[in-house]
Amino acid sequence: MRRALVVEDDAHNAMLFRKLLEKRCGCTVTVTESVEDVLEACRGGAVDLVVLDVSLNNSRWQGRAISGVEICRMLKQDPVTAVIPVLLATAHAMRGDAEALMAESGADDYVAKPIVDHDGFVARILACLREAA
């Protein structure tokens, strides 16, 4: 069974991601906002996919606030975790945002919140998992 890590500070979004990933993608899901937990799980091989909110209100690293973009860069710059697909999720869905955020972060894909196209979200997740296999 595939393992997904959801890094999300909104309880409603986290619940929707969990339900879609578990029921439609067949993943076991862990939800966290802790940067330490993200790095430990990814470095330890316990993650096949990360769904990462861009704007995290409660995540801190080395005493300072950190964004999902920065966490993604950390994952993609580490040879151990760089192979894990990361899908950025954000409410910042203006034209051109996807390309800019993916270029800045190194993410594998991007989805706008709120997730209204559940089938499209599931298809993107499954594609990321297939490409990583």
Side-chain angles (χ1 to χ4, degrees):
M1 183 173 272
R2 297 297 188 121
R3 300 153 303 182
L5 181 63
V6 174
V7 186
E8 174 63 62
D9 60 1
D10 180 272
H12 296 293
N13 286 329
M15 182 174 54
L16 176 60
F17 288 141
R18 178 186 293 278
K19 285 184 178 184
L20 290 171
L21 289 163
E22 287 177 347
K23 294 181 189 270
R24 304 273 307 273
C25 300
C27 294
T28 59
V29 178
T30 302
V31 177
T32 188
E33 293 178 65
S34 164
V35 180
E36 290 84 3
D37 289 350
V38 171
L39 296 175
E40 181 179 321
C42 290
R43 287 178 180 151
V47 176
D48 296 304
L49 170 88
V50 177
V51 177
L52 181 59
D53 184 12
V54 170
S55 300
L56 297 165
N57 294 320
N58 303 314
S59 296
R60 303 189 67 72
W61 178 248
Q62 299 178 338
R64 66 174 183 81
I66 189 169
S67 72
V69 169
E70 292 171 287
I71 296 170
C72 186
R73 271 198 313 261
M74 290 168 63
L75 292 172
K76 292 303 182 178
Q77 291 172 355
D78 182 335
V80 172
T81 59
V83 297
I84 300 169
V86 177
L87 184 133
L88 291 180
T90 183
H92 306 291
M94 304 289 289
R95 185 179 306 261
D97 281 350
E99 296 81 9
L101 285 170
M102 287 179 60
E104 183 181 352
S105 67
D108 299 277
D109 204 349
Y110 166 100
V111 64
K113 295 189 297 188
I115 306 298
V116 292
D117 178 4
H118 295 181
D119 292 335
F121 175 76
V122 168
R124 291 177 106 137
I125 293 294
L126 294 175
C128 283
L129 288 170
R130 270 191 308 275
E131 290 173 15

mmCIF file of all heavy atoms in Angstrom, residues 5 11 48 50 63 65 67 82-83 93 96 101 104:
data_model
loop_
_atom_site.group_PDB
_atom_site.id
_atom_site.type_symbol
_atom_site.label_atom_id
_atom_site.label_comp_id
_atom_site.label_asym_id
_atom_site.label_seq_id
_atom_site.Cartn_x
_atom_site.Cartn_y
_atom_site.Cartn_z
ATOM 1 N N LEU A 5 1.970 11.494 2.711
ATOM 2 C CA LEU A 5 2.136 12.438 3.806
ATOM 3 C C LEU A 5 1.472 13.732 3.384
ATOM 4 O O LEU A 5 1.808 14.299 2.338
ATOM 5 C CB LEU A 5 3.628 12.666 4.083
ATOM 6 C CG LEU A 5 3.976 13.616 5.219
ATOM 7 C CD1 LEU A 5 3.471 13.077 6.554
ATOM 8 C CD2 LEU A 5 5.479 13.821 5.270
ATOM 9 N N ALA A 11 -7.791 22.017 8.908
ATOM 10 C CA ALA A 11 -8.362 20.708 9.246
ATOM 11 C C ALA A 11 -9.320 20.194 8.168
ATOM 12 O O ALA A 11 -9.346 18.991 7.886
ATOM 13 C CB ALA A 11 -9.073 20.777 10.593
ATOM 14 N N ASP A 48 5.709 7.708 0.125
ATOM 15 C CA ASP A 48 5.749 7.539 -1.330
ATOM 16 C C ASP A 48 5.304 8.796 -2.068
ATOM 17 O O ASP A 48 5.559 8.930 -3.262
ATOM 18 C CB ASP A 48 4.836 6.381 -1.750
ATOM 19 C CG ASP A 48 5.313 5.061 -1.182
ATOM 20 O OD1 ASP A 48 6.481 4.706 -1.431
ATOM 21 O OD2 ASP A 48 4.526 4.400 -0.483
ATOM 22 N N VAL A 50 4.106 13.228 -1.188
ATOM 23 C CA VAL A 50 3.821 14.317 -0.252
ATOM 24 C C VAL A 50 2.854 15.286 -0.921
ATOM 25 O O VAL A 50 3.088 15.722 -2.052
ATOM 26 C CB VAL A 50 5.112 15.075 0.154
ATOM 27 C CG1 VAL A 50 4.777 16.245 1.081
ATOM 28 C CG2 VAL A 50 6.122 14.144 0.793
ATOM 29 N N GLY A 63 13.565 27.636 14.457
ATOM 30 C CA GLY A 63 13.111 28.843 15.135
ATOM 31 C C GLY A 63 12.396 29.869 14.281
ATOM 32 O O GLY A 63 12.043 30.936 14.771
ATOM 33 N N ALA A 65 9.390 30.743 10.991
ATOM 34 C CA ALA A 65 8.279 30.251 10.169
ATOM 35 C C ALA A 65 8.828 29.776 8.825
ATOM 36 O O ALA A 65 9.799 30.340 8.305
ATOM 37 C CB ALA A 65 7.260 31.363 9.964
ATOM 38 N N SER A 67 7.622 28.068 4.855
ATOM 39 C CA SER A 67 6.536 27.818 3.904
ATOM 40 C C SER A 67 6.665 26.428 3.290
ATOM 41 O O SER A 67 7.724 25.795 3.363
ATOM 42 C CB SER A 67 6.563 28.863 2.782
ATOM 43 O OG SER A 67 7.664 28.620 1.918
ATOM 44 N N ALA A 82 14.794 13.441 -2.714
ATOM 45 C CA ALA A 82 14.493 14.116 -3.989
ATOM 46 C C ALA A 82 13.594 13.297 -4.899
ATOM 47 O O ALA A 82 12.857 13.855 -5.717
ATOM 48 C CB ALA A 82 15.790 14.468 -4.716
ATOM 49 N N VAL A 83 13.620 11.977 -4.762
ATOM 50 C CA VAL A 83 12.828 11.105 -5.643
ATOM 51 C C VAL A 83 11.364 11.021 -5.231
ATOM 52 O O VAL A 83 10.533 10.512 -5.991
ATOM 53 C CB VAL A 83 13.430 9.687 -5.696
ATOM 54 C CG1 VAL A 83 14.826 9.726 -6.299
ATOM 55 C CG2 VAL A 83 13.449 9.040 -4.325
ATOM 56 N N ALA A 93 -4.149 30.640 -6.575
ATOM 57 C CA ALA A 93 -4.351 30.033 -7.895
ATOM 58 C C ALA A 93 -4.570 31.071 -8.988
ATOM 59 O O ALA A 93 -5.522 31.004 -9.738
ATOM 60 C CB ALA A 93 -5.517 29.056 -7.836
ATOM 61 N N GLY A 96 -0.432 31.712 -13.898
ATOM 62 C CA GLY A 96 1.023 31.753 -13.806
ATOM 63 C C GLY A 96 1.572 31.291 -12.469
ATOM 64 O O GLY A 96 2.776 31.047 -12.350
ATOM 65 N N LEU A 101 5.466 28.681 -8.805
ATOM 66 C CA LEU A 101 5.658 27.925 -7.573
ATOM 67 C C LEU A 101 6.417 26.627 -7.817
ATOM 68 O O LEU A 101 7.275 26.238 -7.020
ATOM 69 C CB LEU A 101 4.311 27.621 -6.917
ATOM 70 C CG LEU A 101 3.655 28.802 -6.217
ATOM 71 C CD1 LEU A 101 2.224 28.453 -5.808
ATOM 72 C CD2 LEU A 101 4.466 29.243 -5.011
ATOM 73 N N GLU A 104 10.085 27.525 -8.410
ATOM 74 C CA GLU A 104 10.726 27.975 -7.173
ATOM 75 C C GLU A 104 10.967 26.824 -6.196
ATOM 76 O O GLU A 104 11.976 26.797 -5.493
ATOM 77 C CB GLU A 104 9.851 29.037 -6.505
ATOM 78 C CG GLU A 104 10.435 29.635 -5.255
ATOM 79 C CD GLU A 104 9.524 30.672 -4.614
ATOM 80 O OE1 GLU A 104 8.497 31.046 -5.194
ATOM 81 O OE2 GLU A 104 9.866 31.093 -3.501
#
